């Protein structure tokens, strides 16, 4: 400590200085102040201390408790109680003993780092086996106050057995789950991957491999894939590559009438997979094609467009999710993976496409086809804005004619040139939209204002609105909404 002074002085509460500029050299001016408070409040600086080095927080305790220190020091040794003795001892150890003070300074520096890491980190609970042998009672007629015979952890005899010397704990169970003696884990995993790629698993009841589940349509194929998956190190990337490079997966998805009558669900794999994409994939795909997708990995959940008052009916009055506050900027264009979900009020544009509410675990989604889905794709602000952003992208990056711009949008959406039939249909649509908006230019201006992003500067909003509608039409084609 280089200098210490106790001064009481009034403070000008209207003066706030919160910046440093220039080079102060060795004679930096000192100004003390506080943020302006309510009228009538009085503030004063008390016990101002100057230090020639950075000091840990415990040092300031001695200044705030200076009166206690003086009282303890003024008393005779024989008159000091435990409180006074501890006060003097603490002061000596922390402020007088140079060697110990240096050690405490280092200790507190690391303690400060620890607290920063602890406060900013996320605490995760880790399960631990309790001491002693675990057991449970068979309850007499299921009544908790009538415990019966004791039972101890083990595998059901129908599923195999653990070694006699293996402990009956969670670690042994985990090892058994991926052991050669248990084929179920590999079979379930392979079946779920197959479901993701073909729309339906080799065992349709992906959530149930028990006696209530459905038998596999191709049992030998399921067996072979499961064993191959396990013997190659549980490599999911290899498994997916193996399936998508197969002749079965690469088949054309065109449906013949006779084939459809025999096998409408394509359980016998006579054609390529074709099914409507999930709501998350549809939204992400629209954002990606429009060029708006924010692809940053990681970060907190975000709140994209949703109808106003969506949470009001299901939220508790004191809940911090009582009201839905829509995000801004890049938050609106992040992948659906980062969308904030309220279990009792999930995002409507996801539920519309059969996304589960997440109140229960679901490994298989039903796929419906309803008019509300088409209304969502054509009217939800996320999709309307994506259509306009796609149109703007075509205006900036493609040629000057509507035909070139439509062809460019089609190429961005499908990765191929539009067939002549599609070119003619989209061209006719553009002309009809343009005629309609020319008669109602205010409708064109309202359309291109949908969404958080501002429309591009253009002298012809009718043209941009017409191109936006064609972009929406492209994004509503079956080929865009379905995996083919």
């Amino acid at each position: 400590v280089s200098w210490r002074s106790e001064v009481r002085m009034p403070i000008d509460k209207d003066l706030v200085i919160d910046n440093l500029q220039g080079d102060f050299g060795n004679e930096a001016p000192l100004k003390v102040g506080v943020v302006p408070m309510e009228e009538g409040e009085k503030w004063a600086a008390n016990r101002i201390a100057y230090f020639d080095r950075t000091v840990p927080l415990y040092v300031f305790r001695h200044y705030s408790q200076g009166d206690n220190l003086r009282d303890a020091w003024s008393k005779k040794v024989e008159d000091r109680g435990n409180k006074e003795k501890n006060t003097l001892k603490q002061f000596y150890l922390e402020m007088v003993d140079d060697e110990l003070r240096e050690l405490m300074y280092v200790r507190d520096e690391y303690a400060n780092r620890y607290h920063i890491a602890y406060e900013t980190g996320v605490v995760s609970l880790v399960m631990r086996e309790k001491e002693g042998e675990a057991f449970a009672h068979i309850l007499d007629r299921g009544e908790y106050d009538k415990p019966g015979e004791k039972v101890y952890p083990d595998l059901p005899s129908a599923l195999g057995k653990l070694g006699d010397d293996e402990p009956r704990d969670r670690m042994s169970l985990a090892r058994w789950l991926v052991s050669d003696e248990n084929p179920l884990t590999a079979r379930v995993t392979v079946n779920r991957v197959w479901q993701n790629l073909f729309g339906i698993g080799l065992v349709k009841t992906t959530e149930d491999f028990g006696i209530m589940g459905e038998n596999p349509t191709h049992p030998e194929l399921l067996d072979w894939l499961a064993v191959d998956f396990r013997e190659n190190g549980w490599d999911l990337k290899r498994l997916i590559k193996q399936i998508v490079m197969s002749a079965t997966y690469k088949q054309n998805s065109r449906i013949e009438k006779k084939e459809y009558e025999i096998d409408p669900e394509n359980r016998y794999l006579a054609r390529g997979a074709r099914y409507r994409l999930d709501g998350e994939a549809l939204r992400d795909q629209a954002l990606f094609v429009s060029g708006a997708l924010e692809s940053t990995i990681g970060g907190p959940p975000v709140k994209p467009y949703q109808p106003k008052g969506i949470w009001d009916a299901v939220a508790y009055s004191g809940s911090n999710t009582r009201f839905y506050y829509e995000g801004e900027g890049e938050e609106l264009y992040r992948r659906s993976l980062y969308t904030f979900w309220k279990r009792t009020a999930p995002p409507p544009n996801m539920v519309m496409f059969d996304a589960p509410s997440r109140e229960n675990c679901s490994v298989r989604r039903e796929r419906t086809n309803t008019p509300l889905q088409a209304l969502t794709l054509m009217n939800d602000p996320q999709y309307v804005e994506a259509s306009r952003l796609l149109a703007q992208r075509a205006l900036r990056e493609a040629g000057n004619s509507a035909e070139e711009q439509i062809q460019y949008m089609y190429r961005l959406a499908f990765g191929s040139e539009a067939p002549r039939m599609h070119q003619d249909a989209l061209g006719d649509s553009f002309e009809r939209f343009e005629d309609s908006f020319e008669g109602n230019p205010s409708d064109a201006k309202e359309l291109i204002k949908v969404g958080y992003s501002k429309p591009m500067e253009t002298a012809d909003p009718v043209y941009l609105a017409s191109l936006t509608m064609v972009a929406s039409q492209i994004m509503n084609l079956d080929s865009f909404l379905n995996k083919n």
Side-chain angles (χ1 to χ4, degrees):
V1 178
S2 56
W3 184 77
R4 174 174 175 244
S5 175
E6 295 183 9
V7 183
R8 293 191 64 83
M9 54 186 294
I11 293 176
D12 182 358
K13 68 180 181 62
D14 295 324
L15 177 63
V16 176
I17 299 175
D18 60 358
N19 63 313
L20 294 174
Q21 297 179 354
D23 183 7
F24 299 106
N26 295 323
E27 297 181 359
L30 173 67
K31 295 184 178 181
V32 180
V34 296
V35 176
M37 304 302 291
E38 297 294 333
E39 186 174 356
E41 290 185 323
K42 296 181 180 180
W43 290 84
N46 187 24
R47 296 191 176 121
I48 300 175
Y50 297 86
F51 300 91
D52 59 0
R53 58 178 291 181
T54 303
V55 295
L57 290 177
Y58 68 78
V59 170
F60 296 99
R61 182 175 68 250
H62 297 294
Y63 289 97
S64 65
Q65 299 175 359
D67 294 337
N68 294 337
L69 185 61
R70 280 191 293 272
D71 291 342
W73 185 257
S74 62
K75 289 183 179 180
K76 296 180 179 180
V77 175
E78 59 271 16
D79 295 334
R80 295 171 186 164
N82 289 332
K83 181 180 178 181
E84 288 81 8
K85 291 178 181 178
N86 288 334
T87 299
L88 292 171
K89 177 182 178 181
Q90 196 72 18
F91 180 80
Y92 176 81
L93 294 176
E94 293 180 347
M95 304 294 290
V96 179
D97 188 314
D98 292 338
E99 184 177 356
L100 185 60
R101 188 172 70 239
E102 290 295 331
L103 292 175
M104 294 186 67
Y105 179 78
V106 173
R107 181 203 66 181
D108 285 350
E109 184 178 2
Y110 282 102
N112 186 48
R113 294 182 186 178
Y114 167 79
H115 287 301
I116 291 174
Y118 186 83
E119 293 296 329
T120 58
V122 177
V123 177
S124 178
L125 300 179
V126 178
M127 193 172 290
R128 184 180 64 183
E129 296 290 341
K130 66 180 182 181
E131 296 180 0
E133 191 173 18
F135 65 89
H137 288 279
I138 296 178
L139 303 178
D140 184 14
R141 302 182 66 84
E143 297 186 28
Y144 287 93
D145 59 346
K146 295 181 179 179
E149 178 188 354
K150 284 186 179 181
V151 290
Y152 297 89
D154 210 335
L155 295 177
S157 57
L159 297 179
K161 59 179 297 184
L162 298 173
D164 295 335
D165 57 342
E166 287 190 67
R168 268 47 179 176
D169 57 17
R170 293 181 180 87
M171 180 57 71
S172 295
L173 176 61
R175 292 194 181 102
W176 175 81
L177 283 174
V178 292
S179 68
D180 293 349
E181 287 72 31
N182 174 35
L184 191 60
T185 304
R187 289 166 63 84
V188 169
T189 304
V190 165
N191 194 62
R192 291 188 184 182
V193 171
W194 190 276
Q195 175 184 265
N196 289 338
L197 296 174
F198 285 89
I200 187 168
L202 294 170
V203 176
K204 185 176 181 179
T205 54
T206 317
E207 72 284 358
D208 189 349
F209 267 59
I211 59 174
M212 299 299 291
E214 186 184 274
N215 290 328
T217 54
H218 301 72
E220 293 180 357
L221 174 60
L222 181 60
D223 290 345
W224 186 87
L225 285 172
V227 173
D228 182 73
F229 176 55
R230 188 189 65 209
E231 291 181 349
N232 285 278
W234 306 84
D235 190 338
L236 274 172
K237 184 176 180 180
R238 179 185 176 277
L239 172 65
I240 294 171
K241 181 178 179 181
Q242 186 178 44
I243 295 175
V244 300
M245 293 183 69
S246 67
T248 303
Y249 184 82
K250 292 189 287 186
Q251 291 181 105
N252 193 309
S253 60
R254 185 183 299 276
I255 303 175
E256 299 293 339
K257 184 177 181 180
K258 289 184 179 180
E259 288 182 359
Y260 184 80
E261 291 174 354
I262 297 171
D263 184 19
E265 291 187 318
N266 194 28
R267 300 302 306 280
Y268 299 112
L269 308 173
R271 57 186 181 272
R274 187 178 189 276
Y275 55 88
R276 198 243 313 132
L277 297 174
D278 293 332
E280 295 91 335
L282 287 172
R283 178 178 173 274
D284 292 356
Q285 180 177 246
L287 290 174
F288 177 78
V289 170
S290 69
L293 183 67
E294 170 55 47
S295 57
T296 303
I297 297 175
V302 294
K303 298 177 181 177
Y305 303 113
Q306 283 196 38
K308 292 183 178 179
I310 193 69
W311 288 355
D312 293 357
V314 296
Y316 292 107
S317 58
S319 171
N320 62 349
T321 60
R322 181 181 180 187
F323 303 108
Y324 186 83
Y325 298 105
E326 194 175 276
E328 296 181 349
E330 65 180 27
E331 293 181 14
L332 299 171
Y333 314 108
R334 300 215 63 193
R335 290 177 58 197
S336 301
L337 172 69
Y338 300 105
T339 297
F340 185 97
W341 278 67
K342 187 179 179 73
R343 284 184 298 171
T344 52
N349 58 3
M350 299 296 173
V351 176
M352 207 66 67
F353 294 97
D354 309 306
S357 69
R358 299 191 183 181
E359 291 182 276
N360 299 297
C361 176
S362 176
V363 298
R364 179 166 63 106
R365 298 185 183 184
E366 298 296 332
R367 283 191 173 86
T368 60
N369 187 7
T370 70
L372 287 176
Q373 294 170 354
L375 288 171
T376 299
L377 293 169
M378 290 188 288
N379 295 283
D380 186 284
Q382 194 86 76
Y383 291 99
V384 174
E385 184 184 27
S387 300
R388 192 244 304 161
L389 292 172
L390 176 58
Q392 292 179 180
R393 189 175 176 185
L395 284 171
R396 288 192 301 265
E397 301 172 9
N400 296 322
S401 68
E403 182 179 356
E404 291 176 304
Q405 291 158 359
I406 292 172
Q407 183 71 263
Y408 184 70
M409 292 193 297
Y410 191 96
R411 194 160 57 245
L412 288 173
F414 299 105
S416 62
E417 299 295 332
R420 174 50 58 184
M421 180 178 65
H422 287 182
Q423 289 184 41
D424 295 341
L426 293 171
D428 291 343
S429 294
F430 177 80
E431 292 176 2
R432 289 198 303 272
F433 288 133
E434 196 169 35
D435 291 341
S436 176
F437 283 128
E438 283 176 351
N440 300 279
S442 60
D443 290 347
K445 293 178 181 178
E446 288 300 315
L447 174 66
I448 63 177
K449 288 195 297 185
V450 172
Y452 177 84
S453 63
K454 293 182 179 179
M456 67 185 300
E457 295 291 335
T458 176
D460 191 357
V462 168
Y463 189 92
L464 176 57
S466 303
L467 205 60
T468 297
M469 292 301 295
V470 175
S472 176
Q473 194 172 0
I474 290 173
M475 289 187 180
N476 277 273
L477 290 173
D478 281 351
S479 301
F480 192 79
L481 306 178
N482 292 276
K483 180 187 182 301
N484 293 295

